[in-house]
Every structure is written in structure tokens, then in C-alpha cells.
Amino acid sequence: MAGVMAGAMADVLGGGEMTDWGQDWGHVSVLRSEAIALLAVRSGGVYLDATLGAGGHGAAILAADPTVRLVGVDRDETALEIARDRLGAWGDRVTYVHSNFADYQPEPGQTFDGILADLGVSSMQFDRGDRGFSFRHDAPLDMRMDQRQPLTAAAVVNTWDEVDLANLIYQYGEERLSRRIARRIVEGRPFETTGALATAIFHGVPASYRHGRIHPATRTFQALRLAVNGELDALDRFLEQAPTWLAPGGRIALISFHSLEDRRVKHGLRQNPDLTLLTKKPILPTEAEQAANPRSRSAKLRGAERRAIPEVTSDQSHGSKGDRPPSKYRAKRDRP
Ligand SMILES: C[S@@+](CC[C@H](N)C(=O)[O-])C[C@H]1O[C@@H](n2cnc3c(N)ncnc32)[C@H](O)[C@@H]1O
């Protein structure tokens, strides 16, 4: 199914180089055609995929135009290996960078025509038992996207004090039973595995809370994952820096999966004076996409365009008014 859809899309996009990038690589890209349309991929452009993952969005960017180049960043080395495999046919049009997007710095003088970030974890990370992101598999409490970092979920669960755990679960999990769950964790620790922790949380909440829409440990697991990977701080830093890497007219597209991310994305794009918002309301997956890929249900896509910066001619740059552009080009906020 994914291959058929990708094939159809490659036709639409004129992706003459398409190989097997549309097949299922363990992660189905969310809002893929919407994100590519929002980026309005331009010929000869250089694009940054800040969350390369299995390379699904990256492949769609490359397929959109035969002269496009892509820099793909991911903090998970395993994801990069999969992407290298999937995007191999595009050869040296792709550069791979193993980094947190918050620490990434483009080469000096490098700007991008478009930047994409598809936030959070991939299905590959979530579904692989040994990574400890999910209690669907009993695994060591790890949750690190980047295996080089020392902090694991086990360290948070087994060493943080009760108040800090409660605050974490409340703020990052938006869990109303945070205090009760934190107490239960402290009473029952040490915990080594996802299964043991999820079971303790299950038995630590009222019976009426146990069989709701989601498992009672879901929000706590989200909080732990966000803390272990510093995801929200990384997003804040990225939202500050990434727009400065865009060429004039370049676009940024961001896909978020929960309200803590989406709130940051919305305000980060709106409040940046160098950006023009392209999405007053977020773009959501179609019903068909939601039915085919339940993980897409909470996805929201937002985008913005970098305002054009007027060129300063040599006359103006030597004029008595210093480096300031003529007033008609100045943004409203700069005018006296
Ligand atoms: C939802 S997946 C991306 C899937 C990809 N768009 C695709 O179509 O295959 C998110 C990826 O972003 C990576 N990631 C999350 N936060 C990151 C960060 N701060 N810096 C770099 N990579 C990050 C994760 O390791 C994961 O591989």
C-alpha cells in the first residue's frame, strides 16, 4: 500500500529517480505530501531534514526535483543507517549528520531553501523492544534516542526525588494523577524494565482509571521520554536557530504530535519577526491517512516562510545612514 501511494506521488512530483523509497521501512511518514507541498521544493535547492528518521520525508524531497540536495540530521545512529540504505540511490546528493538538531550548525555560509522537522520518536524506535520507549515490549528502561548520552529512563525513575518525579509527570505528561504515580514509583523502586514500571503504575491508580482510552502509564512514559532526551529544550533551541539558516523565501515545516510540542511550534513561528506564517491553522492528516496510519491521528503540520531581506547596494552601504536599508524596505517593527 505504502509503495503504491509513494509511486503515485512520485509521478505527481516528477520523481524520475524513484527507487524503492516508498516501501515500508518500519516507519510510515506522516503528512508527507502535505509537508512537501508546504516546502514548495525549488529546483537546485538545498534542504535540511532535521529529523531524518527512516528517510521517508527526505526521500520525498529528493524525488521532488532531480537537482535538489539534502542534509539529513538525526541523533539516532540506527535511524541514520536505515536512511543511508533507503536514500542510497541519491548518492552524494545527501549528506548525513549524526547530531541533535539543537546542536547542529550548518557549514559556514550555508543556507537552506527549506527545513523540515518531524518531531518525536519514529515507529522503529517505538516498536523496537530493546529501546525501552514503550511498555508494549518488556525491555530495559532506556529511552535514549542517542545511545552516546549517559542519562537513561532507569536513572530518572530510580534516582529522582518524589517531588521532581511528580512535577515531571505533571508537566511533561500532563498527568493529573502525577503525585500518586510518583509516590508509587518511589515506593516500588528500583525498576529495571518498562513492563515492571507500567505494571506498578497500573496498580497504583484507582480502578476507574485503569481501563480508560489509554493505558494509565502512557502519560508517564511520555514524560520520561521527553525528559531523558531533553526534547522540549531541544525544540526551543531549534525554533530559535533554524529560521536563521533559511535563505530569503525559504520555508520551514514542522510536524508535532502532542500539545506540548505544538504550542511551542505555534508560538515559535508566530513570534519570529523574520517569518511569515503559512498556516494560520495547522494542517491535519486526512481521514484516509488517519485510518491507514493511526499514529498520524495526533499530527499537526505548521509552516512559515523567511521574509525576503532586501539587498543593500554598494551605494547604500557606504552612505551616511550606515548599513540600514532604505525605510521602504524596513519591516514595520524597525521603523521609528
Ligand atoms: C518521527 S521520526 C522522523 C521520520 C521521518 N520523517 C521519516 O519520514 O522517516 C523522528 C526522528 O527524529 C529524530 N529526532 C528526534 N528528536 C531529535 C533531535 N532533537 N535531533 C535530531 N534528531 C531527532 C528521532 O531519532 C527520529 O529518528
Side-chain angles (χ1 to χ4, degrees), residues 27 29 51-57 74-75 99-101 118 120 125 145:
H27 176 89
S29 306
T51 54
L52 190 62
H57 286 103
D74 205 293
R75 64 196 294 192
S99 170
N100 187 329
F101 56 53
D118 173 21
Q125 289 165 326
M145 290 187 198

Side-chain angles (χ1 to χ4, degrees), residues 34-92:
E34 291 85 347
I36 303 307
L38 188 69
L39 286 174
V41 175
R42 44 194 195 203
S43 208
V46 184
Y47 287 80
L48 172 67
D49 185 342
T51 54
L52 190 62
H57 286 103
I61 291 171
L62 288 158
D65 186 285
T67 59
V68 155
R69 283 180 295 132
L70 182 78
V71 176
V73 172
D74 205 293
R75 64 196 294 192
D76 184 339
E77 181 65 46
T78 311
L80 282 175
E81 273 166 30
I82 293 169
R84 271 196 195 95
D85 200 14
R86 183 182 204 170
L87 305 180
W90 280 284
D92 60 9

